Amino acid sequence: MLVYADNASTTQLDKRVYAAMAPYYTDIYGNASSLHVMGRKALAAADEARSEIARCINATASDIYFTSGGTESDNWAITGVARALKDKGRHIITTAIEHPAVLNTCKDLESEGWDITYLTVDSDGLIDLAELERSVRDDTVLISIMWANNEIGSIMPIYQIGRIARERGIYFHTDAVQAAGCLAIDVERCNIDLLSLSGHKLYGPKGIGILYKRRGVKCLPYMKGGEQERGQRAGTLNTPAIVGMGKAMELACSSMQEDSSHVRSLRNYFITRVLAEIPDVVYNGPKDDELRLCGNANFTFNDIKGEALLARLDMAGICASSGSACSSGTTEPSHVLLAIGATEDAALSTLRFSWGKYNTIAEVDYTVDKLKEISSELRSATTLFKQFHGDDKYV
Ligand SMILES: *Cc1c(COP(=O)(O)O)cnc(C)c1O
C-alpha cells in the first residue's frame, strides 16, 4: 500500500484540473500577449481563470496577478511594499512561525536596514493580538501574518488582524497557501491588502501561484520585463498552469465543505487512534477543530528520532514529513516547534501527517498499524543501546 500523508508539502493533481490544462499545452499554445487568434484564445483562458479565482476570494479580477508560486507571491508582497514605502518607514511586523518564503525575505530586508518584529506565538502557535497592537509603530509599513501554519496547522485570527491593520492604516499581507481549500477566504471582510496562494497545495499544478494586490496598494513590480500583468509582473503568461490554477480554485471552492469534512474526520480518527494506541506521544498544535487546518496532525514521538521513523515509514510505503519539507535533508529542529516551546530533542522527534481529499480510512488504519509496530521497534532498539552504552552516549 502507498499512503500519501504529505498533502501540506504538495498534493496530487486533480484529474479534472489536468484535463482542463491539457489543450493549452497542445492546441491553444499562443502567447497571451499576441494579438492574433491564438494569442487571444490564450488570454481569454487566463482571464477566465483570473475571474474564477477572484470570485473564490471575493476580490476583483484586476487585483489578481499570476506568479510562479507561493514563494514568489510572498517575496513580491513583502519586498514590493517595503521598497515602495521605504521613505514612509522601515518597520515590518511578522511572526516567528512564518514559512521560509516570508521569514527569509524579512531577513534579507533586515540586512538592508529594515527593522522586523517577529511576534511570538503561544503553545498552540497562535499570536497574541495585544502584542500585535503594542508592536505597531509610526514607521510600520506592513503586517505579514500567515493565515494558517503549514507544520502545526494553527489558524491565525485573520479577521481581527485585518481590523487592527486597517484601523492603523498599515498594509496587511497574508500567506494563505495552506488555508485555501480548507477555509473560506474573503479579502473584503478580512481587510486583506495582499494575499498569496499556490496552485500545487490545492490539487493544482506546481509552479503557479497568485498574488492578490488590492487596487491602489503601493507595491513595486517584482519581475522586470514586458508589460504582462498590467506592468506589474513581467514574463509570458504560463497559460496551461493558469488554467489549472483557475480550475483547482473552482473545485476547491465548490467542494470545500465536503472535502474538508472528509479530511477532518480522517484526521480526527487518526489522532484518536495514535493517542490511544501508541505510548509517549504528544499531539502538537491547537486541539480545537476551529483553530486548526482540517488535514494537519503533528506528533512528537518521545525518544524516537523523527528521521529514523520517517525512513521506516517510507519503507512501509507511507509518505509523511519531519518538520517542513523545506528543511528536510537537514537535521535542524523546526523553527515552528521551537517557537511553540518544544525542546530541540522534542522537535527532532516530531512528524507531520497531512491528510488530503484522496486519502481513505483504510490508509489511516494502515498508517497507525505501521506506526505502532515501527515506534515500538525503534524504542526497543534505543533501550538496548542505552543498556550497552549508557544514556549519555545516545545521541
Ligand atoms: C508551500 C508553501 C509556500 C510556498 O509555495 P510554493 O508554491 O511551493 O512556492 C508558502 N507558504 C506556505 C504556508 C506554504 O505551505
Side-chain angles (χ1 to χ4, degrees):
M1 188 181 252
L2 186 108
V3 180
Y4 187 76
D6 198 16
N7 289 275
S9 291
T10 193
T11 54
Q12 186 183 351
L13 190 70
D14 189 306
K15 292 194 168 50
R16 293 167 291 179
V17 172
Y18 187 55
M21 293 169 69
Y24 293 91
Y25 280 117
T26 48
D27 302 330
I28 313 163
Y29 45 79
N31 183 322
S33 301
S34 298
L35 298 177
H36 50 63
V37 62
M38 204 55 122
R40 292 198 305 275
K41 280 189 180 170
L43 183 62
D47 281 338
E48 201 182 306
R50 197 187 305 278
S51 301
E52 188 57 53
I53 293 162
R55 207 175 53 78
C56 291
I57 64 170
N58 193 25
T60 307
S62 56
D63 291 345
I64 304 289
Y65 298 86
F66 291 107
T67 67
S68 63
T71 299
E72 184 189 325
S73 300
D74 287 344
N75 273 260
W76 181 8
I78 296 166
T79 59
V81 167
R83 296 196 203 295
L85 298 184
K86 66 182 194 310
D87 296 330
K88 176 168 181 257
R90 297 193 182 194
H91 178 235
I92 293 171
I93 301 172
T94 185
T95 79
I97 64 165
E98 297 297 311
H99 188 274
V102 167
L103 283 181
N104 290 334
T105 303
C106 287
K107 293 254 144 57
D108 240 33
L109 286 172
E110 223 168 4
S111 72
E112 291 170 33
W114 268 266
D115 199 5
I116 316 283
T117 297
Y118 299 93
L119 298 175
T120 58
V121 292
D122 64 15
S123 57
D124 278 347
L126 297 167
I127 61 154
D128 174 5
L129 289 167
E131 189 191 343
L132 169 63
E133 295 208 73
R134 279 196 306 274
S135 305
V136 172
R137 313 191 315 211
D138 289 342
D139 62 342
T140 308
V141 290
L142 180 68
I143 296 173
S144 177
I145 296 180
M146 67 195 331
W147 198 306
N149 183 267
N150 44 305
E151 293 188 41
I152 53 169
S154 50
I155 298 169
M156 294 293 187
I158 292 301
Y159 175 77
Q160 288 87 335
I161 298 168
R163 242 189 17 206
I164 292 169
R166 188 57 56 92
E167 274 164 12
R168 303 294 191 95
I170 300 165
Y171 289 155
F172 174 32
H173 164 251
T174 184
D175 174 336
V177 169
Q178 292 286 334
C182 187
L183 302 167
I185 294 176
D186 185 330
V187 295
E188 286 305 322
R189 194 184 86 84
C190 296
N191 286 315
I192 292 162
D193 298 301
L194 304 116
L195 174 137
S196 308
L197 291 176
S198 170
H200 73 96
K201 302 286 173 81
L202 29 82
Y203 311 96
K206 294 169 179 61
I208 187 77
I210 69 129
L211 180 65
Y212 160 78
K213 191 155 70 74
R214 182 184 293 280
R215 183 161 178 261
V217 163
K218 293 187 178 67
C219 176
L220 297 186
Y222 188 63
M223 300 284 250
K224 278 120 202 154
E227 284 301 302
Q228 291 93 350
E229 297 294 86
R230 282 92 65 215
Q232 299 298 297
R233 200 282 188 185
T236 301
L237 295 196
N238 184 353
T239 326
I242 288 170
V243 169
M245 174 98 200
K247 188 69 182 173
M249 281 293 278
E250 180 202 321
L251 295 171
C253 291
S254 63
S255 58
M256 189 157 62
Q257 294 299 335
E258 269 167 75
D259 289 348
S260 57
S261 74
H262 165 70
V263 172
R264 184 175 293 110
S265 68
L266 287 182
R267 193 273 313 270
N268 289 350
Y269 173 67
F270 176 64
I271 295 166
T272 308
R273 274 203 66 189
V274 168
L275 293 178
E277 299 176 36
I278 303 175
D280 251 331
V281 176
V282 179
Y283 181 49
N284 303 304
K287 312 294 176 276
D288 180 350
D289 273 355
E290 295 290 304
L291 294 175
R292 187 172 195 129
L293 286 176
C294 50
N296 176 283
N298 186 297
F299 292 109
T300 301
F301 298 86
N302 289 326
D303 297 321
I304 295 179
K305 294 214 180 345
E307 296 296 334
L309 182 53
L310 196 66
R312 290 288 308 273
L313 287 171
D314 186 29
M315 279 155 64
I318 299 163
C319 309
S321 158
S322 63
S324 60
C326 317
S327 57
S328 63
T330 71
T331 41
E332 290 293 299
S334 141
H335 68 287
V336 175
L337 288 158
L338 296 181
I340 62 170
T343 61
E344 285 209 8
D345 267 357
L348 294 172
S349 296
T350 299
L351 293 193
R352 174 189 70 188
F353 298 82
S354 43
W355 301 100
K357 68 177 181 178
Y358 295 123
N359 289 121
T360 64
I361 199 108
E363 292 176 350
V364 175
D365 278 327
Y366 175 78
T367 303
V368 180
D369 294 345
K370 285 290 168 195
L371 265 175
K372 263 166 82 169
E373 189 183 305
I374 297 167
S375 59
S376 124
E377 278 173 31
L378 289 173
R379 278 181 174 144
S380 324
T382 307
T383 310
L384 269 176
F385 187 95
K386 284 182 180 171
Q387 273 169 7
F388 281 109
H389 303 281
D391 263 14
D392 51 323
K393 298 253 173 51
Y394 180 72
V395 280

